[in-house]
Structure formats: C-alpha cells, structure tokens
Amino acid sequence: MIENAPFFCAGLLVVIGLVVIVTKKDLIKMVMGLALVEAGGVNLLLVATGYLSGGVAPIFTNAPSTAMVMPTVQAMTLTNIVIGIATTALLLSFVMVISRKYGTRDVTEMRRLKE
Amino acid sequence: MKNTFQIGILVVCAAAFLMAGLNLSFGGAPAYTDMDDYMLAHGQEETGSNNIVTGVVFDYRGFDTLGEATVLFTVVLGAGLVFRRLGKKEDEYEYE
Amino acid sequence: MNMSSLVRSGGANIMMPFILVYGFYIVVHGHLTPPGGGFQGGAVIATAVVLLMVAYSRAEVRASVSKNVLKNSETLGLLLFIGTALLALTAGLAFFGNWLLDAGTLFGTPVAFGINPPGDINTGGIIPVLNIAVGIEVLGAMGILLLAMLGGMKGDAE
C-alpha cells in the first residue's frame, strides 16, 4: 500500500477530477475538474512510471551521479502540460462566451437545448 | 433514480482507477528501460544537448513538438475567433 | 491614484526586469540546466503580461502591450521552428535532422561527453535555435490568450 503511493495518488486525483466534472453544476468548476485529471493525475502517473530509485534528473550539467531517471516520460509530461494549458484556455474562452450569452454559468439553467 | 445511476457509475470508475493504482508496483525499478538507456547513453553525442529531456523533446521527438506548437497556434486562432464574434455583437469588446 | 495602486505598480516595476531576465535565461539555457526549455521560458515571460494586468488598469495594459507584436511573434516563432527543421533537408539530413551539430559555427562546438560541471552554451546544434523559436511562439500565444480574455471580460476591474 505505502510503497505504491504515487500510483494510488494519481488514481485518486483522476477520481476526484471525475467526481468534480460529473457532480458540479458550475462550468468553471467542471473545467477545473478536467484540469485536475489531465494536469494532476496523468502527470503524476507519467513521472512515477519513469522513476528509478536513487536516480537524478537526466541532465549532465553538474550531475551528482550517472544513475538517471527515464527521460522519455518527462518529455511526454512536458507535452502534456502544454496541451493541458491549451485545452484549458480554449475551454475557459468558451465558458466566457457561454456565460455572457446566457447570463449564467450554471448548466441546469441553460434551457436552450431542453426546449 | 437518476442520481443513484450517476453514483453507481462514479463508484465503478473510482474502483477501477484506485484498483489500478494499487496493483501497479512502484519499486523504483522500471521494467522496460531499453529505449531510455539508449537515450541516456547516446543522447549527448547524438543531439549535443546536456539536458536529455530537451534532447528528447526537440530531437528524438521533434514531430511531437511540432504538433504541440501547432496545437498552441490553433488554440490561439480559436480563441481569437470566439472573442471576435463576441465583440461584434455587444460592441464592448476591443480585441482587434 | 490611491495608495494601493501605487504599491502595486511600484512592485510590478521592480519585479518586471527580473521576470524577463529569468525567462530569457530559461529559454537560452534550455539544453544545459534543469528547468530549461522554450515552453517553460515562454510561459515565464508571459507571466510578465499577467503582472501588468494585475498592476495596471485595462487602458494602460492595452496601451503598453501591443497585440500586433504578440501576433507577429507567434507567427514568427512557428515559422522559425518549421524553417529550422526544413533547412536540414538542404544539408542532406532528414526533417528535424540536427544540421548544426558539431559544425563549428553557431551552437556548433562539440559537447564534452559525460558529466561536465560548467556546461557550454555554444553546443547543441539546432536545439537552442528551436528553443528560442518555441519560446517566442509560446510568449506570443500566452500573451494573446491573456489579452483576449482581458478584453472579453465584462465590466472594468479598475
């Protein structure tokens, strides 16, 4: 249990994000849940996958030792951060447009699709 | 009724993610490290970069970074388009 | 102008050059030091725009930060990125080939293998060029997004 706490915490972050997405009614909180899934859980899972015990960051400048963690997952994490920022910014733009058009951010009060 | 359905789906998803997190073994020893060992051993001479992560991002996975930059460009295009339509209607918006 | 706005603008004026220098350091040392890379450095430079938005009013931000410069810098960054990658074809390499590596010219010093304590900024081939291109592009993209969100906001915060 305690030795794979990083993976468990990654799963926990994903679950918290899903619960926020499904249960909250505010659009900004839903975007926050999505950001929690993709920026919290997925990045923690990726970095924890490549961890080598006793390893240092894969950078040769002033490196304390040559035992290094895996570089590929860190590159994928960098990609994921940028894509997460991009999607979050686009979603927040849509939220701004929607809230200005309907006057509210509550998804239950937007009646356009129901009627 | 609808609420219990939602809660049931959430419980199933939570159980799946948490069981997966519990069953993965975090031992500090990754199972398959051939590609990363190659990159750590040869990355400095093949890319000329001390920072292997930068070497992977900009040299080994250059196409990935190109797509990433394109995604960023597309997001800016989309946001500009959305806000431009908004400004035409309410005459309050100054984004050119 | 009341007192809190004076404190905000004064603090922003003091912190602004340090933020810009730190962001530029991260961009150009992307192939040497730990927090390096064009994406991170561009994001750090874009926080200067956030600082301006926090410290000054909308009219002052709009007067000091030009949207056309940010737009052109984003386009220029992406074009520089693709152009640097395409120039590898003229050197007989594949797309994204490292055509400046060990060439002796710009960023062309052969890197010392293994752990080298100081590091040499003149190494890396096209990687520093791509870092600078991506830094310019991320700076423009983040700045445009922030300014668009500021412009689309309802009512004036000031």
Side-chain angles (χ1 to χ4, degrees), chain B residues 92 94, chain C residues 56-63 150-151 153 155-158:
Chain B
E92 191 185 314
E94 289 95 349
Chain C
Y56 291 98
S57 68
R58 285 174 69 170
E60 285 168 314
V61 171
R62 212 169 274 125
L150 180 75
M153 222 181 281
D156 210 340
E158 200 56 35

Side-chain angles (χ1 to χ4, degrees), chain B residues 66, chain C residues 76-90 95 99 129-130 133:
Chain B
L66 179 62
Chain C
L76 181 77
L78 195 54
L79 281 181
L80 186 59
F81 192 86
I82 299 176
T84 311
L86 268 180
L87 272 180
L89 297 180
T90 65
F95 193 57
W99 54 279
V129 183
L130 294 181

Side-chain angles (χ1 to χ4, degrees), chain B residues 41-58:
Chain B
H42 299 89
Q44 221 178 0
E45 57 178 326
E46 283 182 0
T47 68
S49 164
N50 272 342
N51 190 341
I52 304 296
V53 177
T54 308
V56 171
V57 167
F58 285 102

